[in-house]
Amino acid sequence: MKFGIFYELQLPRPWNDGDELRLYQNALTQLETADRLAYDYAWVVEHHFLEEYSHSPAPESFLAAASQRTRNIRLGHGIFQLTTNHPARVAERVAVLDLLSNGRCEFGMGESASITELTPFGRDMETKREVFEEAVQAIFPMFTKTGTEHHGKYFDIPLRNVVPKPVQKPHPPLWMACSQLPTIERAGQNGFGALGFQFVSAEAAHAWVHAYYNAITKRLKKLADYEINPNMALVSFFMCAETDEEARRRDDGATFFQFALRYYGQAQNRQRPAPGTVNMWDEYNKWKRDNPEAQEAALRGGLIGSPETLRKKLRRFRASHIDQVILLNQAGKNTHEHICESLELFGKEVMPEFQHDPEHEAWKRGVLDGSIQLEEIDTQAFSDRYGKLAVNVGPKTAAAGLMN
């Protein structure tokens, strides 16, 4: 099992001078810590205009900085929005990061999930999947050919040589964002690694691992000429401390993250409110005061607890054959000190048991070569993105906030 860390670069209100500088510099220090402790991946999102929830519009710049402060950790676009970026610029930035990091770039791709992000770039919810698939077709020849052109519905690119080329040949490993569970199966069909931005149980993970690997081995339908990347990763809320109680006390950010996802997710096309009209941190704290038991239940989910508790939880996930667990530590107002202490404790007392797993590698080889046939599991029972303990925000609550 591999371990990654995940960054939205959240910054709840109120905002003060220097907060964004401190946010970015602390995150880079956290990546250095993770690299020293032998975490495998660091993933950084691309989002635009999402106040408080994500102040991360330029992951290529952040990851380039991280490449000069780390040695071994893989640096992942989690993800690059193919709908809001020109294909040539995507290929250029991915190649440059691969050169700067000496071949440590991971290329995650996605569509964006809201009109707040899409509309300013001339895109919409109805056509975003078409744009994504055409962008994939345009990008991959750019990594290997000395001259390439593309003439499609959404992009018209004359014959040019896109330089530089990436270190990894023919290109860095490919991943696709899967913010909805059924998209995991689509990622498998397309041959991409699945970045599952869900928060699910070990039982749900087992079902979706089967769906993913059955898709990539039995129903493969690539969008272009590229190397497939059979890997499945799932995000989990995360805080490791000496006791379960202390871990929950330190991880208020986990429930803020869930609240913001639910709050915005209720709106049509995930429309965000006009700038400055909603204080998400205040809305969250109102909800928390009114729902103390719900917050307490949410903190019992995910990988939040003592080293012994997290070892027990991960043993259940290991049985589901997840390839990578991505740990969401930077959320809400979780402190830099607690994030670093959590990474240290987990890295020293939990990770070593799971990092070298010959049984999983043998299982995976068998699945890919066909000697192990996986059961086709009905995933309908596991379609909830958030899990049964997650924060729940009623439509009336969200709608009222969006109209304020």
Side-chain angles (χ1 to χ4, degrees):
M1 186 182 290
K2 305 291 187 184
F3 292 93
I5 55 175
F6 178 62
Y7 285 85
E8 293 272 6
L9 295 173
Q10 294 201 329
L11 190 63
R13 285 183 170 87
W15 299 329
N16 299 303
D17 288 345
D19 282 353
E20 287 180 322
L21 174 63
R22 191 159 38 252
L23 171 70
Y24 270 74
Q25 295 302 321
N26 284 347
L28 287 169
T29 300
Q30 292 157 23
L31 259 70
E32 286 186 277
T33 301
D35 183 54
R36 173 173 53 80
L37 293 165
Y39 286 77
D40 302 290
Y41 294 83
W43 297 98
V44 182
V45 304
E46 177 186 356
H47 278 311
H48 303 276
F49 321 118
L50 304 188
E51 298 175 338
E52 300 186 71
Y53 180 74
S54 178
H55 290 227
S56 181
E60 70 279 4
S61 298
F62 179 88
L63 291 168
S67 74
Q68 303 307 293
R69 295 172 60 163
T70 57
R71 290 174 175 266
N72 299 305
I73 196 167
R74 305 285 300 177
L75 301 174
H77 280 282
I79 48 70
F80 225 132
Q81 292 183 4
L82 301 194
T83 47
T84 62
N85 291 282
H86 190 278
R89 296 294 286 133
V90 173
E92 291 166 346
R93 292 169 186 171
V94 167
V96 167
L97 178 60
D98 208 39
L99 292 165
L100 290 172
S101 65
N102 197 24
R104 289 185 283 139
C105 176
E106 301 278 321
F107 180 20
M109 300 167 284
E111 300 173 359
S112 177
S114 77
I115 60 174
T116 298
E117 295 187 85
L118 291 167
T119 301
F121 296 98
R123 301 300 184 198
D124 56 52
M125 296 290 285
E126 291 72 29
T127 61
K128 68 188 182 85
R129 180 169 175 176
E130 290 181 16
V131 175
F132 172 88
E133 293 184 352
E134 186 178 322
V136 168
Q137 293 161 9
I139 288 167
F140 286 97
M142 297 175 180
F143 288 134
T144 57
K145 296 185 178 180
T146 54
T148 180
E149 58 187 309
H150 176 87
H151 305 286
K153 181 177 179 181
Y154 299 101
F155 302 103
D156 190 62
I157 307 168
L159 181 64
R160 295 291 187 274
N161 184 15
V162 176
V163 291
K165 306 298 184 189
V167 175
Q168 299 174 89
K169 305 299 182 186
H171 49 70
L174 307 179
W175 301 78
M176 188 174 92
C178 303
S179 59
Q180 302 299 321
L181 285 163
T183 319
I184 290 174
E185 189 168 4
R186 179 181 148 206
Q189 290 173 342
N190 292 159
F192 301 136
L195 286 172
F197 297 122
Q198 294 86 22
F199 312 95
V200 298
S201 66
E203 294 76 20
H206 173 78
W208 283 103
V209 165
H210 277 231
Y212 173 80
Y213 275 102
N214 278 329
I216 203 168
T217 56
K218 300 174 184 177
R219 296 180 282 278
L220 183 65
K221 187 179 180 182
K222 296 199 294 182
L223 300 176
D225 184 16
Y226 48 73
E227 293 289 322
I228 68 169
N229 179 34
N231 276 285
M232 183 168 167
L234 284 178
V235 174
S236 175
F237 298 112
F238 170 64
M239 183 64 73
C240 187
E242 292 294 343
T243 66
D244 292 351
E245 293 74 21
E246 180 63 13
R248 291 170 191 156
R249 187 186 68 79
R250 292 181 172 196
D251 203 19
D252 182 69
T255 46
F256 171 78
F257 189 101
Q258 294 176 68
F259 176 86
L261 271 178
R262 290 282 204 183
Y263 188 97
Y264 286 139
Q266 301 288 356
Q268 185 177 10
N269 292 331
R270 297 185 184 176
Q271 172 69 57
R272 268 60 174 180
T277 58
V278 170
N279 183 318
M280 183 56 58
W281 184 250
D282 282 353
E283 294 294 329
Y284 165 64
N285 279 291
K286 290 175 191 173
W287 173 87
K288 191 166 64 170
R289 286 193 297 271
D290 292 340
N291 299 274
E293 293 180 359
Q295 192 215 16
E296 193 176 304
L299 288 171
R300 293 199 299 271
L303 293 171
I304 300 170
S306 67
E308 180 56 31
T309 293
L310 300 194
R311 283 192 292 267
K312 289 177 181 176
K313 290 188 175 187
L314 280 170
R315 286 169 194 144
R316 294 197 293 272
F317 271 98
R318 179 167 58 188
S320 71
H321 291 293
I322 288 290
D323 293 297
Q324 181 184 161
V325 174
I326 303 175
L327 305 167
L328 174 60
N329 215 8
Q330 192 282 315
K333 294 194 176 185
N334 290 355
T335 71
H336 173 61
E337 292 73 22
H338 290 165
I339 291 168
C340 290
E341 289 172 11
S342 178
L343 291 170
E344 291 271 3
L345 188 60
F346 185 86
K348 292 175 179 176
E349 297 195 18
V350 180
M351 279 203 318
E353 178 181 333
F354 303 93
Q355 283 183 304
H356 304 288
D357 190 353
E359 184 179 327
H360 173 70
E361 293 305 317
W363 174 89
K364 187 169 179 176
R365 283 195 302 272
V367 169
L368 294 176
D369 69 21
S371 60
I372 295 176
Q373 293 293 310
L374 298 180
E375 175 189 2
E376 296 278 1
I377 298 176
D378 183 359
T379 55
Q380 279 299 112
F382 306 105
S383 59
D384 184 0
R385 175 182 181 183
Y386 303 95
K388 62 185 180 180
L389 294 178
V391 164
N392 187 29
V393 179
K396 291 182 180 179
T397 305
L402 290 170
M403 290 187 293
N404 286 341

